Amino acid sequence: MKAALGIDTSCYTTSVALAVEDGALLSRRRLLDVEQGARGLRQSEALFQHVQRLPALLEDMLSKAGEAQIACVCASARPRDAEGSYMPVFTAGTGFARAVAASLRVPFYETSHQQGHVRAAMEGAGALPEEFLALHLSGGTTEALRVRPGLKVELLGGSNDLHAGQLVDRVGVRVGLSFPAGPALEKLARQGAAKSAFPLSHREGEVSFSGAEAQAMRMLDAGAAKEDVAAEVYSYLARAVAWLIGWAYGKTRLSAALISGGVASSALLRELLPARLQKLNCPVRLHWGKPEMSGDNACGVALIGWEEYIHGNDPER
């Protein structure tokens, strides 16, 4: 059977995937190493780790791929599908992908990290209309998008400072959790109580997370229980994302929203967000992908590559 190989090298995850023509998806990924207490990596450090890890990840995945034959290779070449969008880490994946494609004499395709996230979230999200809203929530992105046929993505609004995942990670590291802090901070949040202590900061098409971070740090400095602070963080996330969805609905009248990105894997956010939308009387239907495909992974990239291949698109476009 034929398959598309997808490669994604984001700021914090090296990942490879195979989208097989029978519908199977195989993937391998590995988080980059971040020192305890650190809030991230320099691009040079992340790039080095990607280069070191790609060969072993690919070897491991292909050892489980059976008779699947690579018919094309696709890589995320940039953060977003926008002019000037660039991060050095993506050169690790594209360079590796081009080399594999050239050695196998198969087509090479490019996509964006964001499009990969949206496409991955579409798996298991149920039937979506031809045109829909998408929220991309991660450590590097908090954006409301309009998605048109062909996975054409238009930016509508988003954060004007920190991103959703940065708020989670910065507060998590502050209370002694390892980076990335999402799952551990969520566990703490379930043990605490939120009183909407962080006032929602927003303006036309934009939400802010830096004020929430500052208030969380002040609460911790004043001796507040870390469980309650964690609960306030997730309360703020739900309120901010709900407001952004409501604003995007008012602008587009699109009544379906796909929630994608690493933050979308949060079970707590999946519980809180529908209730917040109901309070806003917002009629948007939420669509969630599989939690295991919400984080940085190459599955969406591989699916995009396969669709490019079967539709016979020009790989050089």
Side-chain angles (χ1 to χ4, degrees):
M1 288 182 291
K2 293 182 179 180
L5 171 63
I7 297 175
D8 183 82
T9 50
S10 74
C11 289
Y12 299 110
T13 310
T14 313
S15 54
V16 297
L18 276 181
V20 188
E21 63 180 318
D22 65 358
L25 270 174
L26 303 173
S27 66
R28 294 290 185 276
R29 65 174 178 162
R30 184 176 171 187
L31 289 172
L32 303 187
D33 293 330
V34 178
E35 290 185 7
Q36 182 70 30
R39 303 196 303 186
L41 289 170
R42 292 194 296 268
Q43 286 282 305
S44 59
E45 296 171 332
L47 183 61
F48 176 77
Q49 291 191 43
H50 286 312
V51 171
Q52 294 294 106
R53 292 173 179 190
L54 274 169
L57 283 175
L58 183 59
E59 289 167 358
D60 181 42
M61 185 184 64
L62 291 180
S63 71
K64 310 294 193 301
E67 300 300 318
Q69 297 181 335
I70 297 174
C72 66
V73 184
C74 186
S76 54
R78 53 197 174 276
R80 301 169 184 81
D81 189 24
E83 185 176 351
S85 181
Y86 171 74
M87 277 188 179
V89 285
F90 291 102
T91 62
T94 52
F96 192 82
R98 282 186 178 275
V100 172
S103 65
L104 295 176
R105 298 184 179 181
V106 298
F108 168 74
Y109 304 105
E110 290 186 357
T111 188
S112 72
H113 179 70
Q114 186 170 74
Q115 286 169 308
H117 263 301
V118 172
R119 182 62 186 87
M122 292 169 66
E123 292 295 296
L128 285 159
E130 186 176 65
E131 195 170 325
F132 56 91
L133 298 173
L135 276 291
H136 184 195
L137 309 175
S138 71
T141 308
T142 301
E143 292 183 343
L145 311 167
R146 182 177 198 150
V147 183
R148 293 188 167 91
L151 213 61
K152 303 299 182 185
V153 174
E154 175 192 352
L155 176 63
L156 298 174
S159 170
N160 59 19
D161 44 39
L162 297 181
H163 297 298
Q166 285 179 304
L167 173 62
V168 170
D169 289 331
R170 291 185 179 191
V171 175
V173 169
R174 173 67 169 75
V175 299
L177 304 176
S178 297
F179 181 98
L185 193 71
E186 179 175 335
K187 185 177 180 180
L188 279 179
R190 289 188 178 278
Q191 300 168 26
K195 300 178 181 179
S196 298
F198 305 165
L200 182 60
S201 176
H202 63 82
R203 59 188 183 192
E204 180 67 14
E206 295 181 336
V207 292
S208 170
F209 291 98
S210 61
E213 181 202 9
Q215 290 177 77
M217 299 307 177
R218 284 196 292 269
M219 284 183 67
L220 291 167
D221 289 341
K226 59 185 179 181
E227 292 85 358
D228 291 340
V229 176
E232 293 292 358
V233 166
Y234 277 90
S235 169
Y236 188 88
L237 283 177
R239 287 182 285 126
V241 174
W243 181 89
L244 198 55
I245 291 172
W247 174 85
Y249 169 74
K251 185 177 179 66
T252 65
R253 293 298 163 181
L254 295 174
S255 59
L258 177 70
I259 315 299
S260 69
V263 177
S265 65
S266 166
L268 183 55
L269 182 63
R270 291 177 183 229
E271 295 168 17
L272 295 174
L273 189 53
R276 289 295 175 184
L277 285 176
Q278 190 173 19
K279 286 186 177 181
L280 293 175
N281 294 316
C282 179
V284 172
R285 301 184 308 278
L286 297 180
H287 294 255
W288 303 84
K290 300 175 182 178
E292 64 270 21
M293 294 180 67
S294 295
D296 291 343
N297 63 71
C299 290
V301 175
L303 288 165
I304 290 170
W306 178 251
E307 287 153 7
E308 290 276 308
Y309 177 77
I310 62 174
H311 288 113
N313 289 338
D314 179 5
E316 297 301 323
R317 71 178 178 83

